[in-house]
Amino acid sequence: MSLGQRLAHPRQVWQPSHALVAIPLVLIAAITLADIRTPESVQLGPLLVVAPAITTAFGGYRLTGLIGALAVGTQVVTAELHGGLATTNHISQIIALTILSVFTMIVCFVRDRRTAELAQVRSVSEAAQRALLRPLPDRLGPLHIASSYLAAEKEACIGGDLYAVAHTGYRTRVIVGDVRGKGLAAIGEAATLLGSFQEAAHHHATLPALAEALDRSVCRYLTGFPQADEEAQEHFITALLLEIPDHSPVSRVVHCGHPPPLLIRRGHVTPVASSHPAPPLGMSGLGPETYDTHTFSFHAGDILLLYTDGVMEARDRSRAFYPLQERVAQWTQNNPKTLVQCVEQDLLAHTDGALGDDAAILAIQRTPRATHPSPRQPPGTQR
């Protein structure tokens, strides 16, 4: 049955919580029978308030109100059997039970409305994340790609971390970045950088030129902050730009204040650090000569693990940082998808599920030529 059919016929939708309705009904019946059998000096009617109170744990405000009304009605019947409603104690008990039942129904109504609002906000957040961080393809030319995004806020799905890939010509370009700060401002900066990357990656021949274009874009965006914003001068984005040619066993990287990637090759894990890293994007509008390109070998079977500060700076209960390189050394035989899953699960276990910052993880493996379709060779390239 489709979701629309279920909504159109709510009576056909069975949930395990429906069986729990028997609990307040049994309580009402048991308390009423016990109250009828006891002498008039012993009054058990006030205990009926337990029934609507328990119902709030699994039912909505309508069901809670119905159970409350049933409890009040049962109390009226018990009062009639114990001498009638003229007794002062019975009247006060019925009034008190009515007030408490109405109160529990109101509490349940407010809770249900806040839950619905939270679900709607989360739905919008998930839609925003899908629009901001587009799902990466599993395969892109000669590359096998896997990624993961962990938001620090439990009820949020997006933050200031970002990643994207673009296949242009006979190469794949990758960006991984981390916006300083959190909240809507960080999301806006991340969206600006991702939009600029998706366009600029196709129009600049070198990584330094691409980095300069992205830096200009971020600087233009940051100039729009009000002058009253005390942190306006401290907004920046650490980023790492990666370029992987389709037909050459090398890779090029430009560091813009971002942690170096880890290269996994034949069971060994090695950081790929540039000797001349550049400042983060958006700090001073630097020229292309500022961005140093570091070239290294990247053969079939090698894996590059890219990540953001939220991974390295994650702490456990003893305030110890997450030992990423040490942990990755245990999973060097895994494919990118499994590797990312291992890092993600181990990171959450290290922090007991409480990340202090957003964390993005991206694994890229160059596959052997025989495992992927060979694209048309660029002019002058020999097989």
Side-chain angles (χ1 to χ4, degrees):
M1 181 182 296
S2 66
L3 178 60
Q5 292 173 331
R6 291 185 178 184
L7 293 176
H9 304 282
R11 294 182 180 179
Q12 299 180 15
V13 181
W14 170 257
Q15 298 178 2
S17 61
H18 292 172
L20 298 177
V21 178
I23 297 177
L25 295 178
V26 170
L27 284 174
I28 290 175
I31 294 173
T32 301
L33 290 175
D35 196 17
I36 292 176
R37 292 177 178 272
T38 56
E40 294 186 10
S41 59
V42 179
Q43 298 179 358
L44 302 178
L47 296 178
L48 290 171
V49 72
V50 174
I54 289 178
T55 307
T56 60
F58 58 85
Y61 72 94
R62 291 188 178 89
L63 179 60
T64 302
L66 179 62
I67 295 297
L70 180 61
V72 172
T74 304
Q75 176 70 355
V76 172
V77 173
T78 304
E80 287 290 346
L81 295 178
H82 277 190
L85 295 175
T87 306
T88 304
N89 288 340
H90 288 161
I91 294 177
S92 61
Q93 290 176 10
I94 292 173
I95 293 176
L97 181 58
T98 301
I99 293 175
L100 290 174
S101 297
V102 172
F103 177 75
T104 56
M105 185 177 66
I106 293 174
V107 170
C108 196
F109 173 78
V110 173
R111 182 203 64 190
D112 290 349
R113 190 169 73 172
R114 294 191 64 179
T115 301
E117 291 176 351
L118 180 60
Q120 183 177 10
V121 169
R122 189 172 184 85
S123 176
V124 173
S125 176
E126 291 174 351
Q129 183 187 36
R130 287 192 295 269
L132 181 62
L133 289 178
R134 301 175 185 176
L136 301 182
D138 294 333
R139 300 278 180 173
L140 190 60
L143 305 179
H144 182 193
I145 303 173
S147 62
S148 175
Y149 190 99
L150 299 173
E153 299 294 335
K154 293 183 179 181
E155 300 301 336
C157 297
I158 53 179
D161 289 7
L162 58 98
Y163 52 75
V165 298
H167 191 266
T168 167
Y170 298 92
R171 63 196 172 193
T172 298
R173 285 177 166 175
V174 184
I175 184 172
V176 174
D178 186 0
V179 179
R180 181 194 178 277
K182 300 179 181 179
L184 294 178
I187 296 173
E189 293 173 41
T192 298
L193 181 57
L194 285 173
S196 300
F197 171 79
Q198 293 292 352
E199 180 64 22
H202 297 272
H203 297 286
H204 295 277
T206 65
L207 283 185
L210 174 60
E212 181 197 13
L214 297 178
D215 184 59
R216 288 200 308 266
S217 178
V218 174
C219 287
R220 283 195 299 267
Y221 177 82
L222 294 179
T223 56
F225 279 92
Q227 295 299 324
D229 186 354
E230 297 179 355
E231 296 186 354
Q233 302 300 323
E234 300 180 9
H235 288 200
F236 56 83
I237 304 176
T238 66
L240 185 141
L241 297 174
L242 184 70
E243 180 177 277
I244 306 175
D246 289 349
H247 307 287
S248 300
V250 298
S251 181
R252 305 178 185 91
V253 63
V254 168
H255 296 263
C256 300
H258 199 80
L262 298 179
L263 176 62
I264 303 173
R265 174 183 296 160
R266 300 190 186 95
H268 298 283
V269 182
T270 307
V272 182
S274 173
S275 57
H276 298 90
L281 302 177
M283 293 196 67
S284 55
L286 303 175
E289 65 279 356
T290 307
Y291 301 98
D292 178 70
T293 302
H294 177 65
T295 303
F296 59 96
S297 61
F298 187 51
H299 299 279
D302 292 351
I303 297 179
L304 277 171
L305 184 69
L306 292 74
Y307 51 93
T308 57
D309 287 342
V311 178
M312 294 181 57
E313 297 176 357
R315 297 173 181 263
D316 60 10
R317 292 183 177 180
S318 64
R319 307 300 296 168
F321 290 111
Y322 180 68
L324 177 62
Q325 184 173 344
E326 176 184 332
R327 299 296 176 85
V328 171
Q330 305 174 14
W331 309 309
T332 56
Q333 302 303 318
N334 292 329
N335 59 42
K337 182 177 181 180
T338 305
L339 175 62
V340 168
Q341 291 175 346
C342 289
V343 174
E344 176 182 343
Q345 295 171 6
D346 192 55
L347 181 65
L348 292 175
H350 180 82
T351 60
D352 291 330
L355 292 174
D357 193 7
D358 299 333
I361 309 167
L362 184 63
I364 304 173
Q365 182 180 40
R366 183 188 288 278
T367 58
R369 185 180 298 272
T371 64
H372 62 86
S374 180
R376 183 172 57 88
Q377 295 286 332
T381 301
Q382 297 180 354
R383 294 183 180 273

